[in-house]
Amino acid sequence: MEDKQYIDYVHTHAQKSSHITTLIWAFAVGGLICCVGQAFSDIFSAVLPNWEESKIAALVSMTMIFLGSFLTAIGVYDKIGVHAGGGSIVPITGFANSVVSPAMEFNKEGIVLGMMAKMFVVAGPIIVAGTVSSVLTGLIYWIVGLF
Amino acid sequence: MEIFLGYVKAFAIGGLVCMIAQILINKTKMTSARILVMFLLLGVVLEFVGAFKFIEEFAGAGITIPITGFGSTIVKGARDGAKIGLFESVTYGFRNMAGGLTAAIFFGFFFALIFKSHSKKV
């Protein structure tokens, strides 16, 4: 299956419901996923009081990414995504889904050029955008810090 | 009660962010990659102009669990690095992405090896 076909396939399956229904689904599922994240954040802060805030935040992200990956692997996340649309795409679990889903899909085309390469079909642009912004903002902060 | 209110706020703002994404998907037929990049950059901009921390104080996970939180953490890293030196200013942003990226790639690799794809053959 080509990339474009794959995207079209995802698209046709995500566009089933009417406009308002999709908004309610996105709101409810997205909100719920954020509450799960809030719960992990509260638990980790209580269990690991010595950890700095940024490390707790990273640990919460990693936990959510694990859950998103696992739910994708067992086929549950894509079922949620059919209804939830943006509610399942925008949370960090959706980022995990965007890595695991093509990795599983293209695994049959080989480990290196199939799975390892296609893993970044959606995640690649995010890594590029993130890296470029990190360098640019870092340079701006550094230059401003000189004065 | 205060904890409960925190969850209501996280639900409301998190839901709202996802709903905005859904409006964009419905109106512009944007693919998930474009949506994710756009919200990541939104997080970068909000953190850079200093608005993110106010939203975070109010909504907690409602704004940090969406990919906007990933963008914000990148800028936070860059800001911390810039206090140390030029090398750190360009590398610490990526350092803050490391946890999430490592988890996504590592779990992606192993789950793809272990589990069969569920998508229907087209």
Side-chain angles (χ1 to χ4, degrees):
Chain A
M1 201 161 47
E2 296 294 315
D3 292 359
K4 176 137 190 345
Q5 282 177 298
Y6 179 72
I7 288 161
D8 286 345
Y9 166 78
V10 171
H11 221 82
T12 49
H13 282 69
Q15 294 288 326
K16 272 180 184 167
S17 335
S18 75
H19 183 61
I20 299 296
T21 326
T22 59
L23 296 191
I24 296 167
W25 267 100
F27 186 87
V29 174
L32 207 63
I33 293 172
C34 291
C35 283
V36 175
Q38 185 70 51
F40 278 119
S41 178
D42 290 346
I43 293 166
F44 291 152
S45 308
V47 177
L48 304 160
N50 303 330
W51 282 35
E52 51 199 297
E53 215 173 296
S54 62
K55 259 170 85 177
I56 297 278
L59 193 63
V60 172
S61 288
M62 292 168 83
T63 311
M64 295 301 285
I65 284 169
F66 171 78
L67 287 178
S69 306
F70 183 71
L71 290 177
T72 304
I74 61 172
V76 172
Y77 204 85
D78 292 311
K79 281 193 188 119
I80 301 171
V82 172
H83 296 289
S88 64
I89 293 169
V90 176
I92 194 85
T93 46
F95 172 66
N97 173 262
S98 77
V99 174
V100 180
S101 199
M104 286 169 69
E105 179 66 39
F106 290 97
N107 193 21
K108 57 179 174 291
E109 293 180 13
I111 300 279
V112 175
L113 289 177
M115 186 241 280
M116 287 181 180
K118 294 288 169 38
M119 193 184 268
F120 294 102
V121 165
V122 179
I126 296 160
I127 297 171
V128 173
T131 307
V132 171
S133 356
S134 85
V135 172
L136 290 180
T137 53
L139 283 176
I140 295 170
Y141 281 126
W142 184 73
I143 291 166
V144 169
L146 290 177
F147 301 103
Chain B
M1 191 61 207
E2 202 179 310
I3 291 173
F4 177 73
L5 195 63
Y7 283 86
V8 173
K9 286 174 182 170
F11 185 88
I13 302 295
L16 195 68
V17 172
C18 295
M19 208 173 80
I20 295 168
Q22 187 61 46
I23 293 171
L24 287 171
I25 292 168
N26 288 351
K27 295 288 174 201
T28 65
K29 311 277 176 212
M30 273 175 138
T31 54
S32 58
R34 284 214 172 83
I35 293 283
L36 282 166
V37 168
M38 231 185 79
F39 278 80
L40 178 93
L41 293 176
L42 178 71
V44 167
V45 171
L46 286 176
E47 179 64 43
F48 190 70
V49 301
F52 195 90
K53 67 168 183 279
F54 297 110
I55 307 173
E56 192 180 342
E57 270 167 27
F58 178 77
I63 194 76
T64 57
I65 290 297
I67 194 97
T68 43
F70 210 53
S72 147
T73 188
I74 291 167
V75 179
K76 278 178 190 156
R79 191 193 297 138
D80 293 341
K83 287 172 193 155
I84 307 171
L86 180 58
F87 177 78
E88 287 80 2
S89 74
V90 293
T91 55
Y92 271 37
F94 200 89
R95 208 176 76 146
N96 270 12
M97 293 207 296
L101 284 185
T102 306
I105 293 168
F106 183 82
F107 295 135
F109 180 82
F110 278 101
F111 284 144
L113 281 185
I114 298 165
F115 291 89
K116 289 261 178 297
S117 179
H118 293 270
S119 62
K120 295 181 197 81
K121 300 290 163 285
V122 183

